[in-house]
Amino acid sequence: MAAIPDSFTGDWELQKTHLRKSFFRLDIAAFLVCALVGLDTLGTVANKGPQGLVWLLFLAVFFFLPYGLLAAELGSAFPFEGGPYVWTKLAFGRFAAGVNQVLYWLSNPVWLGGTLTIVAVTTWEKFFFDLPGIWRYVGGAIFVWTGALAVLLAFRVGKWLPTIGAISRILLIGTFVVSVVIYGVEHGVHLVGHEFKPSYIGFVGLVPILVYNYVGFELPSTAAEEMGDPQKDVPSSILRAGVLSVILYGAPILGTLLVLPGNAIGSLGGFVDACKAVFTVYGGHVAADGSVTLTGAGSVMGKIAALGLILGVLTSGITWSMGGDRAQAVACADGAGPAFLGKFSTRFGTPIRVNILSSILSTIVMVAAFLITKGDAQKYFSAVLGLAISTTFISYLLAFPSLYVLRRKMPDVERPYRSPVPWLVSALPTVFVLFTLVQLVWPGLGVGWFGTSGDPAGSLPEGFAGDRLGYMLSQLVPLALCLGLGALFYVLGAPARKAGRNGPLPPPASRETISTD
């Protein structure tokens, strides 16, 4: 097998000696489940009604499947630390990959400090007690920095947190589904057949959330040189985690729709409200106005489920931070960013400087969003979720075509797994990502065209009714700043690039990962 015709800077060749192999097949599968199954958006999908399940299955075939095939090939053919940064660099060059990676990385502190924090705080308040005034900020800071400390751990220890997160998801969703069945037998359900009929207006409202729910296949490959055997483990783990993820999304969304009437499902608290309602079968009641009171065993079950949900969203943030921070540190060590941020700890093998910077940014996002929206949790949730999706998806516009480009550019590289029809496998997810970005910037584009029904204004996120300009600015201004930061990072990486290169990369199979304690 020929050497790959590209190279890292000398500093990365030094930094990678701090890595150790401690990431194996079951770890990768759990890591993927934790990354893919985000509990924070279940209510948003259920809020759009039963057709959300139809579009969920549609995108499972036409987005999730080709995306999984793409990640399986790239992850096994180019198993280098940094994953999507390396793939994009080999396909399009260091500058494009560097700017791309900054967007990919920044989406994580935006998401953790934004949607995940508000879901955690809202869940706590619904099941325990309110956090008035400054205490909401304190609660958010505790959530963010708990995740920060977890990410700093050595990977051989930190990898257990995604495993715990995956198990908590399965237990929480399994308990919820069983409770829904009991609740349905006692109280009946709300769905009727015609509500499943798909529509374009439903599609444009759901596609950004559904596609966002389905991303994360590439994340374990950011730690590829810490894997036992990435060329075998990546494809098999993607298959198992992909099937399980579709089930873990579909079951709670269907359960929420069965339990709550459509007008009672909020995009922020829909799943939490459904949990409260179904747990009344163990003790409690639902009043005529829809308010829920849990008592006895129902109250205990509710609190356990609330803690499970908070743990679930926290481990989502931890998992994505582990991957995104690693890839950003690799990019910085490779001259696509400040060399100061490209250092891995000799003791823990983790990029501590990037980890801490990410946590600081998450805290700033949390505080700024609360101040700007004056405590309007729904508006906060909608704006930050849209921004987290858009920053992530812009990076995929280069990462997804990398498969087809590298097939043509490097045809002789050994590929333990080869995707069928590479141009289609690259094109399908790229098209859906591009469509999603358009809908995020201008929600409802195409609604009412060519005889379709609906009003484009109705596609604006909750909290922004009648304020399209305000929503657009909440997306475009931060995106422009992120792109500018990516370019600045590349400029700051010039000294590392001038330090020289070490020649072509050897084949992945022959590269050693050295363990140091």
Side-chain angles (χ1 to χ4, degrees), residues 49-51 54 189-198 258:
Q51 65 173 300
V54 177
V189 296
H190 295 279
L191 288 182
V192 293
H194 68 82
E195 294 177 332
F196 286 90
K197 183 179 179 181
L258 289 171

Side-chain angles (χ1 to χ4, degrees), residues 76-103:
S76 58
F78 305 96
F80 298 104
E81 194 84 0
Y85 165 73
V86 178
W87 308 338
T88 308
K89 174 191 167 185
L90 294 174
F92 301 107
R94 183 181 274 108
F95 174 73
V99 175
N100 209 52
Q101 177 54 44
V102 168
L103 288 165

